[in-house]
Amino acid sequence: MLPQFDPPGFLSDFNAQMLQQWSTAVSGWIDGNIAIVQAELAPGDQPQFYNESRTETPGEPLDQVIGWSGFPGTFRDRWGRQMALDLADNLMPLTQRMDGPGSYFVGELWGNIFYRPQDEYCEWRVTRDDQGRITRVTFTSEPPEYWQALHGDTLPDMSGTPRYPFAGDKQLLLELYREYVDPQVQLADLECQQDLVDHSDPANPQVIYPKGSYNPYNRWNTTGGIMHLTHPANSLSAEINLGALASVQRTANGRTVIDPEALISGAAYGGLNRCSDPTIGSTVNELAALGAFVTLRNPVGLAMHHLSLEGFRTPGGEPVDSSFFTVLRGQPEQGLIEHAVFAVPAGEGYTVSDLTIGGIPITHGGQIAEHIVVNIVGRAAGLGHFANTPVACAASSYQDDWQGNWLTYAQAGEAPSPVSRPAFAYPPATPGTAAPPVAPAPNTVRSLDELAARATPKPPSLLAGTHRHLTRNA
Amino acid sequence: MVNMLSAMDASASATGQAPPEPVFDVDEIQGNVLPGFMKPRMAVIALEFGDLASARRWLGELVPRVTTMSQTMASRLKVRQERLARGVSAGSTEAAQTLDDAWLNVSLSYTSIANLRGGGDASKFEDEAFRTGLADRSSLLGDPTDPSAEGNPANWLFGGPGKAADALVVLGADRQRTLQRLFDEVVEEALAAHLSVLYGEVGGKLDKLGHEHFGFQDGVSQPGVRGLLPGEPPSYLTPRTVDPSAVPETWLYGLPGQYLVWPGAFVFGYPTPGADPLLAAPAAIPGPAWAKNGSYAVYRRLRQDVAGFRAFAEEQAASLQDQGLAGMTGDLLQTHVVGRWPSGAPLSRTPDADDPDLGADPLCNNHFEFAADTPLLPLTGGHDDPYPRAKADPVGLTCPLAAHIRKVNTRDVGNDQGGRRASFQRRLLRRGLPYGPPFPKTGPDPAHGDRGLMFLSYQASIVDQFEFLNTTWMGDPVAPRSPSGHDLLVGQNGEPGAERQRTCVIVKPTVIGTVVAEQDVVIPTGGGYFFTPSISALRDVLAATPASD
Ligand code: HEM
């Protein structure tokens, strides 16, 4: 059995006491999720998702690296690659979701609090010089919880109740920010100067981050720098929740759901259009389908596995080697990169903007992110141990008529937009009855005008809002 | 980009009907794009233009000889009828005996289109790989960056710096003599029009079944292209073989296991794949309007080092035995590296030994998935599938995740791009055949090692399909799925500092064995990125003098 959960990427800033506290929190989140799964299962069935520090499993475990592209599929699928590259490098206010209409938090102050709309558990920040040339791109996969812990805050359990206190080390927190972000950072800059209150439910406002606690959206982690993940979905507890929910076998209209997109649509365990969530979920689900105990391997956390530099060239046409990508935190040899900087080695006399990938100049940080593989490791043990009854899917999704790669969850069973059709909605499986014959139907070709009249208005409002937040040379 | 909404009315899902499919412009699409020449003989001629006026004239004169989709299809139907008459099963690989076709298709590079159009609208082609050209993209594909290496563009037979082809003529024929005659004619006419021949190659199937030089049946798994041939009533281009009682498989498959893909993935101007494989996305023409009915062609002359591949397999099989994988042999390792046995039988369906009957049976040799046990499907026409079914293999305990066929097609499992949509959106129409004589069983090698694959693929995006498979999947140690490693058959490791060494793991229930390949066994020796225009675009746009001239 695992004696203790380690911090993501085996990061080494915690003392023994905080290591213990971290382990308690991770273990608690896992247990909380096991309870959530238990509530979904048929009476008598036991959750396959397990806590490595509490459950002894039979036999040798099998590990599976689950990797995905660092560039947000959400943006690519919604807007196409070019606009996705333009959007992804910018900050967005928390009042603007990047994956559809609506906001993450409601209330005036959230309009001036920013996040990076990079939702693959890999965020980056582009630093430019006075002439707009890219001087470096800094990447992180560290979860906000780690930094809240360093500040000595109390982390919530799965129900949102503050539960896991940390001793913290504010001095170390400050030193790390000064080392990795800016020597000018002050402790007060990192803390909430007032309660950050969410008014999503006007009758019941929620304090998300109380005054004096660590502010994950502090300016040195948003407008003025990058230290850890900021996207509201990029949290460690969200990832554990996804792993847990994915351990449940599901059916739709009487058929076992195997297709990864249909599965996430039916189970609603994450972002439909991400590179990460559908593949994390389906990979865990396939292991669970073999009747195995499944979990996320220690250290539970996200990390970049590697950056592939094939096709990167210097202005002189030479290959760009690993001296351009400096890993500052994490364990690169184990595929656990937590913080890294892409920059031209000092003294070369040119910038990142002068490099090319496949002959195309680097103009966006996202072009580099496209060559990063992010990963977690799934673990399975005791194949054949479980034979749980599958659970019927409660959710479903729609496919956009214009952007065929764009999926959106149904809202209370209804289409999220008039220009969308139900996806993965096959007619009920009724044993013995044949489906209607396969008849070729006539091809209807509609004009562009006709489609445009029906289509979602584009470009979206979020375009207007973002460019003013372009951050340069912090 | 021009968008049209096609075939969008019905959700197969909601109505219980197959999704409606578009009708092809069969007199516009070149025949090697769809349905594919699929002839036993193939030749390629790479040409460089002299003066533009002569080039246009040459192209104009060539147009009437360009074989269309409808001509290719007519011959295909004749074969089907003949097989029926002779009682040979559908899909049999036996060539029709009375045919003596000789077919021609032509594709043009970005530079040549820009020149022919006098600048004009060539820049509307959205694919940045096409506009950049293969030589400048080569390092991205993992090709050697050392200028002294054989695979570096500097040493290519054509397609390297200063040797880029303007036009690529592809020929297909039933018989060698007819092919050679056509080849000679094309060369003669090109020379007469002041074009220079940069490269010409004649190749073909090495045997009846279609083994490539390493000894494995090639051309087994092709995407099933959705769409209808005109007629009363219209008929499916890709025959459907799964009984309508099996939902949704009857709507998802052509042959069992062969995913049906919306034609816009390969041809401009048709509905493209959406996230749900049954729901088409709008048709797209990511280029000038005249690019409708066209397709990108990628040609790579890939030399295969057969001796090197076998030596690697023997040596590494011994190493795997030392690592505890008892029973591993060179031949078995080769099969693990491909994911199929030499006959084409999938490892997933017959883990312990080759099964040539399975390998030759198109109704069964592609019917395997990885996420869960593959169900037995009722087939139309009274056919059955008597072979053992494929078992769930998400981790690659049977067919390794690094096997070539799993590095280029993840089928029903998720991958680094998200869910399953890559299985419909990252596909290629593979049209290549081997060149060079088979590797001799004994004695000296008459070809001195120069044999390989005339790799040719058609797709609607070079970046998202051909290059994606090379760079993001075959050449990556983790993607699309892990535990895997590099594709040890075809993949290259162009990572600076890695010395081109490729590794992968073979995972068995009790042992994880590591395989190391120190040398490339597939070496690029020429090629280019091209566009294969429609007949009317060739005649009325590209062979015509632009207004601005
Ligand atoms: C000399 C080089 C190559 C050799 C010897 C080779 C050999 C093979 C073989 C034996 C198969 C299995 C049989 C089949 O399904 O047809 C196969 C499948 C395939 N290969 Fe290759 N190949 C080569 C290069 C490439 C390249 C460069 C690509 C793509 C960029 C590629 C893409 C594919 C695809 C997509 C499949 C079908 C996989 C499936 O759908 O199951 N191959 N190849």
Side-chain angles (χ1 to χ4, degrees), chain A residues 62-69 76-77 81 255 258-261 272-276 278-279 282-283 286-287 290 305-313 319-322 357-360 371 373 383 399 401-407 421-427 433-448 451 454, chain B residues 3-14 16-18 20-23 128 132 136-137 139-142 145 228 234 236 244-245 247-248 250-251 273-282 371-372 392 394-395 397 401 412-421 425-426 471 475-478 480-483 492-496 507:
Chain A
L62 186 103
D63 291 341
Q64 187 164 18
V65 168
I66 307 173
W68 60 89
S69 164
R76 197 189 49 206
D77 291 347
R81 178 172 180 257
R255 293 186 192 82
I258 294 166
D259 177 353
E261 270 117 346
L272 291 164
N273 301 287
R274 289 191 198 138
C275 298
S276 47
T279 201
S282 64
T283 306
E286 287 149 14
L287 294 171
L290 299 173
H305 190 280
H306 65 277
L307 163 68
S308 170
L309 290 167
E310 276 181 350
F312 285 53
R313 294 296 192 111
V320 166
D321 63 22
S322 56
I357 305 174
I360 308 291
H371 296 262
V373 176
L383 270 57
Q399 177 176 311
D401 282 353
W402 179 277
Q403 290 285 25
N405 269 319
W406 182 247
L407 293 173
R421 290 164 291 166
F424 316 107
Y426 309 125
T433 50
V438 184
N443 177 31
T444 45
V445 179
R446 291 217 189 85
S447 72
L448 185 60
L451 177 73
R454 291 175 65 211
Chain B
N3 277 287
M4 280 171 287
L5 193 64
S6 302
M8 301 278 278
D9 285 315
S11 270
S13 21
Q17 294 282 329
E21 298 182 14
V23 179
E128 62 185 33
T132 307
D136 283 339
R137 303 289 282 185
S139 64
L140 187 63
L141 302 177
T145 50
L228 301 168
Y236 284 126
S245 63
V247 169
T250 184
W251 301 328
D276 177 336
L278 295 180
L279 300 181
V395 190
L397 298 179
L401 289 167
D412 63 339
V413 293
N415 53 58
D416 63 317
Q417 303 299 307
R420 182 175 62 154
R421 55 187 80 174
Q425 303 186 353
R426 307 288 187 172
T471 306
D476 193 274
V478 171
R481 303 260 297 177
S482 267
Q492 306 186 82
N493 186 359
E495 207 55 40
V507 183

Side-chain angles (χ1 to χ4, degrees), chain A residues 331-349:
Chain A
Q331 306 290 328
E333 56 298 330
Q334 295 179 54
L336 299 173
I337 301 171
E338 298 294 349
H339 189 109
V341 174
F342 186 88
V344 176
E348 293 291 341

Side-chain angles (χ1 to χ4, degrees), chain B residues 199-274:
Chain B
Y199 158 84
E201 186 109 47
V202 178
K205 281 190 175 185
L206 301 176
D207 54 28
K208 252 187 182 169
L209 195 63
H211 288 98
E212 48 71 45
H213 282 292
F214 292 144
F216 291 82
Q217 192 194 161
D218 199 1
V220 182
S221 172
Q222 295 275 12
V225 181
R226 288 190 190 272
L228 301 168
L229 301 167
E232 289 301 333
S235 53
Y236 284 126
L237 167 67
T238 305
R240 314 294 150 101
T241 61
V242 177
D243 190 84
S245 63
V247 169
E249 290 84 354
T250 184
W251 301 328
L252 282 173
Y253 292 150
L255 294 162
Q258 179 193 37
Y259 285 154
L260 291 166
V261 177
W262 292 96
F266 310 107
V267 186
F268 283 31
Y270 291 87
T272 52

